[in-house]
């Protein structure tokens, strides 16, 4: 989209339109909102009906930021919200809300692992692969491909996206009958399997100071009330990267987080489409893994 007609349709006005959000890249708030319009069909596909935590950068990505869980007092009445644990979370369900968030300089959009209608049931098993300081992205790719081989061996189809920062996140669509407790048990089982098989490369140690330069398989993040960067959300990085679903073939060929940015994502989506789309309809059973765990 090359204009802001949608803003007029929703009676929204950009405040401080020339405020630079990525100063080094020359991306001001007006340009940012335009990028969000392009991304909106894809962001909304994965953010709907999920508790939203945004990270706002009122003075741009080089300035101070803050997490926002509770909808502020000035939130318009038309922005959908959901009260959970005494907080009114915004639900990123429509373009109008996304544009309003963009005007608030909400750069990063993090959503829950479950839809609000099923508060204790995630719909994806998420393997969050987070490199330690000093590791290169090729090492993250290596571990991701090991994870894929492991999941293939279990008969589970998986999808992958960049975090937009330094890591990769592997998604396994699952039936929405499993509790967070059960999903975490499976995630821990997978994490321990990989870390035991590759002890020099992977750790499940939560303490950063005890990871010894190994890649962290974060099995704890996937939990009720916690969030993860949503697919196609921008990130507050120097390259204006986007958390982008990619194909496993691309991962094998070699990718970098900075390959996927606000400036390049539209062309990619036009040429390749949405590599994550398959997770929306697919539901896979974890019964056989949970059965194994219950018997051992």
């Amino acid at each position: 989209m090359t204009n802001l007609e949608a803003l007029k349709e929703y009676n929204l006005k950009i405040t401080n339109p020339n405020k630079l959000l990525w100063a080094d890249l020359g991306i001001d708030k007006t340009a940012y909102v335009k990028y969000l319009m392009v991304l909106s069909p894809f962001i909304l596909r994965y953010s709907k009906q999920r508790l939203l935590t945004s990270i706002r950068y009122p003075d741009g990505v080089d300035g101070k930021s803050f997490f926002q869980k509770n909808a502020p007092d000035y939130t318009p009445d038309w922005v959908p919200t959901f009260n959970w644990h005494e907080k009114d979370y915004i639900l990123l369900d429509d373009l109008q809300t996304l544009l309003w968030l963009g005007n608030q300089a909400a750069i990063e959009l993090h959503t829950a692992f479950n839809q609000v209608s099923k508060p204790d049931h995630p719909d994806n098993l998420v393997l969050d692969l987070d490199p330690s300081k000093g590791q290169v992205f090729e090492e993250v790719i290596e571990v991701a491909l090991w994870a894929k081989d492991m999941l293939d061996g279990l008969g589970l189809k998986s999808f992958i996206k960049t975090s937009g920062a330094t890591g990769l996140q592997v998604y396994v669509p699952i039936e929405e009958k499993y509790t967070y407790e059960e999903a975490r048990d499976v995630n821990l089982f997978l994490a321990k399997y990989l870390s035991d098989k590759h002890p020099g490369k992977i750790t499940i140690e939560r303490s950063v100071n005890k990871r010894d330069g190994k890649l962290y398989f974060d099995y704890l993040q996937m939990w009720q009330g916690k969030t993860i960067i949503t697919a196609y959300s921008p990130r507050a990085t120097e390259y204006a990267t986007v958390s982008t679903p990619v194909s496993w073939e691309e991962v094998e060929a070699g990718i970098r987080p900075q390959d996927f940015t606000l400036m390049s994502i539209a062309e990619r989506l036009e040429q390749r489409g949405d590599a994550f789309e398959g997770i929306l309809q697919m539901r896979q059973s974890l019964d056989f893994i949970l059965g194994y765990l219950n018997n051992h």
Side-chain angles (χ1 to χ4, degrees):
M1 190 175 292
T2 58
N3 57 56
L4 297 180
E5 290 302 316
L7 286 177
K8 296 178 182 177
E9 179 183 346
Y10 293 119
N11 197 27
L12 288 169
K13 181 180 180 181
I14 299 178
T15 55
N16 300 316
N18 299 319
K19 166 78 74 173
L20 286 170
L21 298 182
W22 282 268
D24 291 345
L25 299 174
I27 299 177
D28 61 17
K29 195 187 286 188
T30 300
Y32 176 54
V33 171
K34 287 181 179 180
Y35 284 127
L36 288 181
M37 288 185 194
V38 172
L39 284 168
S40 61
F42 303 95
I43 292 175
L44 296 173
R45 187 176 285 171
Y46 303 104
S47 66
K48 284 184 177 180
Q49 289 294 289
R50 296 175 190 271
L51 303 180
L52 174 74
T53 296
S54 62
I55 307 182
R56 291 174 55 186
Y57 291 79
D59 297 313
V61 299
D62 297 320
K64 292 182 179 180
S65 64
F66 62 93
F67 284 80
Q68 185 167 282
K69 291 179 180 287
N70 223 358
D73 294 339
Y74 54 83
T75 302
D77 292 341
W78 44 259
V79 169
T81 60
F82 187 87
N83 188 277
W84 187 76
H85 285 207
E86 300 183 355
K87 287 187 175 67
D88 286 321
Y89 286 84
I90 289 173
L91 299 180
L92 183 45
D93 284 1
D94 51 54
L95 176 60
Q96 187 176 5
T97 298
L98 178 61
L99 299 183
W100 180 78
L101 286 164
N103 188 47
Q104 302 299 310
I107 303 296
E108 299 196 359
L109 308 168
H110 298 248
T111 52
F113 295 89
N114 61 277
Q115 295 196 11
V116 294
S117 61
K118 297 189 176 179
D120 194 39
H121 299 276
D123 50 12
N124 288 284
L125 199 67
V126 180
L127 286 57
D128 193 4
L129 308 178
D130 186 18
S132 293
K133 186 176 181 181
Q135 287 190 299
V136 295
F137 197 68
E138 285 75 14
E139 293 176 89
V140 189
I141 288 176
E142 181 179 41
V143 173
L145 292 173
W146 289 337
K148 181 181 185 299
D149 287 343
M150 171 185 64
L151 294 166
D152 286 350
L154 293 168
L156 292 171
K157 185 170 176 58
S158 58
F159 300 78
I160 188 168
K161 71 179 179 72
T162 66
S163 71
T166 58
L168 287 167
Q169 293 153 351
V170 180
Y171 280 60
V172 181
I174 59 174
E175 296 175 4
E176 292 175 275
K177 66 179 184 179
Y178 303 109
T179 65
Y180 272 100
E181 197 89 40
E182 291 170 322
R184 178 176 282 184
D185 286 346
V186 173
N187 222 356
L188 174 59
F189 168 71
L190 299 176
K192 283 182 64 65
Y193 174 83
L194 275 186
S195 61
D196 288 347
K197 190 173 182 180
H198 306 281
K201 290 278 191 174
I202 304 169
T203 182
I204 58 174
E205 173 58 58
R206 192 157 181 79
S207 173
V208 174
N209 295 330
K210 296 179 181 178
R211 292 180 190 169
D212 298 324
K214 302 173 187 176
L215 182 137
Y216 177 47
F217 187 131
D218 187 354
Y219 69 92
L220 293 169
Q221 185 63 21
M222 190 187 66
W223 194 250
Q224 189 181 50
K226 293 193 175 186
T227 59
I228 194 166
I229 192 75
T230 199
Y232 298 106
S233 170
R235 297 302 300 261
T237 65
E238 61 179 313
Y239 301 104
T241 48
V242 172
S243 179
T244 304
V246 293
S247 69
W248 281 110
E249 289 74 22
E250 288 177 288
V251 176
E252 290 173 359
I255 56 171
R256 301 171 303 161
Q258 57 266 37
D259 292 338
F260 314 103
T261 68
L262 283 175
M263 298 78 73
S264 65
I265 192 68
E267 182 178 2
R268 171 183 173 80
L269 289 169
E270 186 176 338
Q271 292 178 352
R272 290 180 172 266
D274 179 10
F276 235 33
E277 195 168 11
I279 73 170
L280 296 172
Q281 286 79 35
M282 183 176 295
R283 293 290 172 256
Q284 300 176 99
S285 174
L286 299 178
D287 288 356
F288 64 106
I289 300 178
L290 288 168
Y292 171 82
L293 294 177
N294 290 333
N295 290 319
H296 289 78

